[in-house]
């Protein structure tokens, strides 16, 4: 759908309300009925938008998602509302009142910024995407704070704004792009643009190599409910700082530049650090907090003898340690009546579903098995969540 205009008419909006919540299995029947009274292209566009809105609920919540407009690419690439709101709050704390949002997409970040009271220039070079961002600003009553401009971001003057936010495209015709210089625009251009502003934030893939982080930037990895969502390079804050931020909260772990934790034997407890902590290379900071060490120098599992509450890792009490052996694991689970089996792996080539099929768990009890390495040896650790 390249033209939103028909959906923005009274007829189009009424159709969107009518098809809201249509199940995929019912689409053909609904389309056939509606085409008796409405143009077929409009009905198809409304049903397509309804599908996109249903997908967008996970990122934007039910109320906003069913008022907003989306493109397929926009749903996939837009920032989760909770992450955008956190970033907007941080910019507000930095005294920012206006932001040039470059590569704005369908406007997810612009919406969060405007809701924080920040004036936004939202720029995207794709006509359909810019039109969608503009429609969203109006749909949510934020058009007074968001100016949407269809333009090449490399040609936009941002000097009239306190801050710059850049969200380069990280997907191409062949899928996800891993080389920061293959972003559109390239990371080097985004960094140069960031350095022209008092404050800047560059959204990048969480798997970015740490060597690619400029020395004058702060690097932040953000997770939401345990899922790593993005990394951000901040300029004008704390050059060289590294932090992991966990949402909801937020809770922020700032790196202290610690050396790698020692490798030690398995203790009573195993801690699985949050993904943002791992991506930020701050496992050593968590290990120090827990007075723990690593099971293996290459695996991000921390073990300790005592149970301590921490927001930066999930604790498990380990009852058994076995060399990797499916038959022994199956016998142990049968003996303990384990029918609910959670399989986690790190440093193992075995797929969790494959292991479940082989051990065929049955019974009323639950357990967690970790497929990992201990001092280089393939190992199975059995236990369950620890009550902190």
């Amino acid at each position: 759908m390249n033209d939103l205009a028909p959906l923005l008419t009274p007829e189009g909006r009424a159709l969107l309300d009518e098809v809201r919540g249509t199940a995929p299995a019912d689409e053909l029947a609904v389309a056939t009925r509606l085409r008796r009274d409405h143009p077929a292209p409009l009905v198809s566009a409304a049903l397509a938008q309804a599908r996109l809105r249903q997908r967008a609920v996970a990122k934007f919540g039910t109320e906003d998602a069913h008022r907003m407009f989306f493109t397929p690419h926009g749903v996939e690439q837009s920032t989760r509302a909770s992450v955008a709101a956190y970033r907007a709050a941080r910019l507000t704390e930095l005294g920012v009142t206006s932001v040039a949002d470059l590569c704005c997409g369908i406007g997810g970040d612009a919406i969060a910024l405007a809701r924080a009271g920040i004036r936004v220039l939202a720029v995207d070079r794709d006509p359909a995407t810019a039109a969608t961002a503009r429609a969203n600003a109006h749909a949510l009553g934020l058009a007074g704070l968001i100016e949407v401009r269809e333009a090449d971001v490399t040609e936009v003057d941002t000097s009239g704004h306190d801050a710059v936010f850049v969200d380069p495209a990280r997907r191409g015709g062949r899928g996800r792009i891993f080389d920061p210089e293959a972003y559109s625009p390239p990371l080097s251009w985004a960094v140069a643009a960031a350095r022209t502003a008092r404050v800047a934030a560059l959204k990048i893939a969480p798997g970015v190599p740490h060597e690619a982080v400029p020395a004058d930037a702060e690097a932040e990895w953000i997770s939401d409910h345990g899922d790593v969502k993005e990394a951000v390079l901040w300029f004008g804050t704390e050059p060289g700082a590294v932090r992991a931020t966990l949402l909801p909260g937020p809770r922020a772990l700032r790196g202290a530049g610690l050396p790698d934790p020692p490798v030690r034997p398995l203790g009573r407890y195993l801690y699985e650090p949050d993904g943002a902590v791992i991506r930020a290379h701050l496992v050593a900071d968590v290990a120090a907090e827990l007075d723990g060490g690593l099971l293996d120098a290459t695996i991000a599992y921390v073990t300790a003898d005592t149970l301590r509450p921490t927001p930066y890792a999930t604790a498990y009490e380990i009852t058994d340690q076995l060399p990797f052996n499916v038959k022994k694991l199956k016998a142990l689970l049968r003996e303990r009546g384990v029918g609910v089996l959670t399989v986690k792996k790190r440093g193992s080539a075995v797929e969790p579903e494959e292991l479940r099929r082989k051990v065929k768990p049955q019974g009323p009890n639950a357990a967690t098995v970790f497929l990992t390495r201990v001092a280089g040896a393939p190992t199975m650790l059995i236990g369950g969540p620890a009550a902190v």
Side-chain angles (χ1 to χ4, degrees), residues 162-207:
D162 297 339
V164 168
F165 173 65
V166 189
D167 183 5
R170 295 179 300 281
R171 281 186 178 272
R174 298 184 177 181
R176 195 177 299 276
I177 296 171
F178 296 97
D179 177 7
E181 284 307 297
Y183 292 172
S184 179
L187 181 59
S188 57
W189 179 89
V191 168
R195 288 175 175 151
T196 67
R198 178 174 69 82
V199 176
L202 310 183
K203 177 180 171 181
I204 56 177

Side-chain angles (χ1 to χ4, degrees), residues 12-387:
R13 291 182 183 276
L15 264 182
L16 284 172
D17 289 339
E18 189 166 352
V19 300
R20 175 174 174 170
T22 300
D26 299 331
E27 282 191 1
L28 181 58
V30 170
T32 301
R33 174 175 57 82
L34 292 176
R35 283 169 181 163
R36 297 169 188 155
D37 302 308
H38 304 281
L42 180 59
V43 172
S44 296
L47 285 168
Q49 192 60 226
R51 284 196 302 272
L52 294 175
R53 286 178 166 183
Q54 289 170 13
R55 287 172 54 193
V57 167
K59 285 190 174 183
F60 292 93
T62 302
E63 184 177 350
D64 278 354
H66 286 287
R67 295 163 65 195
M68 294 171 65
F69 296 88
F70 300 95
T71 64
H73 181 77
V75 170
E76 182 71 24
Q77 294 298 299
S78 57
T79 303
R80 184 176 290 263
S82 56
V83 179
Y86 159 73
R87 184 166 37 244
R90 188 168 180 199
L91 285 166
T92 300
E93 290 170 2
L94 292 167
V96 170
T97 61
S98 63
V99 172
D101 178 2
L102 308 181
C103 309
C104 68
I106 56 93
D109 280 282
I111 289 166
L113 291 165
R115 282 177 167 167
I118 297 173
R119 181 170 55 86
V120 185
L121 169 63
V123 183
D124 203 286
R125 69 180 179 183
D126 179 68
T129 302
T132 304
R134 190 174 295 109
N136 286 333
H138 284 276
L140 299 180
L142 298 169
L145 284 170
I146 300 174
E147 175 195 347
V148 179
R149 187 179 302 174
E150 180 190 327
D152 186 330
V153 296
T154 64
E155 299 174 357
V156 173
D157 179 9
T158 63
S159 60
H161 297 80
D162 297 339
V164 168
F165 173 65
V166 189
D167 183 5
R170 295 179 300 281
R171 281 186 178 272
R174 298 184 177 181
R176 195 177 299 276
I177 296 171
F178 296 97
D179 177 7
E181 284 307 297
Y183 292 172
S184 179
L187 181 59
S188 57
W189 179 89
V191 168
R195 288 175 175 151
T196 67
R198 178 174 69 82
V199 176
L202 310 183
K203 177 180 171 181
I204 56 177
V208 66
H210 280 233
E211 314 85 70
V213 175
D216 57 338
E218 172 196 342
E220 178 181 35
W221 280 260
I222 303 173
S223 68
D224 186 26
H225 289 89
D227 293 329
V228 183
K229 294 303 177 185
E230 63 183 58
V232 184
L233 300 183
W234 291 89
F235 293 81
T237 54
E238 300 178 73
V242 176
R243 73 169 70 197
T245 298
L246 283 55
L247 301 177
R251 295 180 178 273
L253 178 65
R254 191 180 185 284
L258 300 179
D260 291 340
V263 175
R264 53 152 288 174
L266 175 68
R268 182 176 177 181
Y269 298 98
L270 182 74
Y271 292 86
E272 181 181 29
D274 183 271
V277 171
I278 295 172
R279 292 286 194 175
H281 295 180
L282 299 182
V283 174
D285 298 78
V286 172
E289 177 185 329
L290 299 170
D291 193 22
L294 300 180
L295 290 172
D296 185 279
T298 64
I299 305 294
Y301 282 139
V302 175
T303 187
D305 298 316
T306 56
L307 180 61
R308 298 182 183 179
T310 175
Y312 305 114
T314 303
Y316 296 85
E317 185 171 6
I318 301 302
T319 57
D320 300 89
Q321 176 179 350
L322 303 172
F324 183 83
N325 185 302
V326 176
K327 289 185 178 180
K328 288 185 178 180
L329 177 63
K330 184 176 182 178
L332 185 146
L333 297 177
R334 185 185 302 116
E335 176 187 329
R336 298 189 181 168
V338 172
V340 180
L341 183 65
T342 301
V343 181
K344 292 177 171 286
K345 69 166 194 167
R346 190 160 290 157
S348 172
V350 178
E351 292 299 325
E353 286 305 318
E354 177 188 352
L355 184 68
R356 282 196 196 88
R357 284 196 299 270
K358 290 182 177 179
V359 300
K360 300 176 182 177
Q362 294 182 351
N365 300 319
T368 302
V369 59
F370 294 86
L371 306 178
T372 187
R373 293 195 300 271
V374 174
T379 303
M380 300 182 298
L381 306 175
I382 298 92

